[in-house]
Amino acid sequence: MTYQKGWRTVYSLSAHVVLVTKYRRNVINNEILSPHIQLSKLIANLKTVSSRLIRKEFRSEVNRYYRESVFWTGAYFVASCGGVTVDELKRYVDNQRKINGDFD
């Protein structure tokens, strides 16, 4: 397996993320269909939010080791764990509509 290397990252990634709107309402239009976000920004946001939640819930444990507000290092590793085709994703989404009902 070949890994890509960045300044503080090592990765091999091809990912499909499927998000579902609440109540499966059909609110996604062409303007909001394809938000583009860099993986690095997504991970940075995840690390920021998780750090806040961890510090809030486990304040005394975390404060024993860290006094500053930084919890995570800037480094991370990402690798995909399976090859899913677009057709398989479409079948998954269609199957979810059949199971849960489409609320359009």
Side-chain angles (χ1 to χ4, degrees):
M1 178 174 282
T2 304
Y3 293 106
Q4 303 293 318
K5 295 177 183 173
W7 181 45
R8 295 186 295 186
T9 60
V10 177
Y11 62 94
S12 174
L13 182 66
S14 176
H16 298 281
V17 177
V18 177
L19 303 174
V20 180
T21 59
K22 185 153 182 157
Y23 307 120
R24 301 185 184 279
R25 301 277 196 234
N26 191 16
V27 298
I28 307 292
N29 60 27
N30 286 335
E31 292 179 30
I32 45 181
L33 180 61
S34 304
H36 296 282
I37 184 169
Q38 297 172 345
L39 180 60
S40 59
K41 288 185 180 182
L42 179 65
I43 290 177
N45 288 337
L46 176 64
K47 290 166 83 173
T48 298
V49 170
S50 64
S51 176
R52 286 181 189 152
L53 293 173
I54 290 168
R55 287 179 165 286
K56 181 177 180 181
E57 188 170 344
F58 304 101
R59 181 179 311 273
S60 61
E61 293 92 334
V62 172
N63 284 344
R64 287 189 350 214
Y65 299 99
Y66 302 108
R67 294 292 175 210
E68 69 275 1
S69 62
V70 177
F71 185 77
W72 303 111
T73 70
Y76 60 90
F77 173 83
V78 179
S80 61
C81 55
V84 177
T85 67
V86 173
D87 288 335
E88 289 171 315
L89 282 173
K90 287 180 181 178
R91 280 196 300 275
Y92 169 79
V93 171
D94 289 341
N95 190 46
Q96 292 300 302
R97 287 182 179 144
K98 290 175 190 170
I99 292 171
N100 298 304
D102 202 350
F103 294 93
D104 296 351

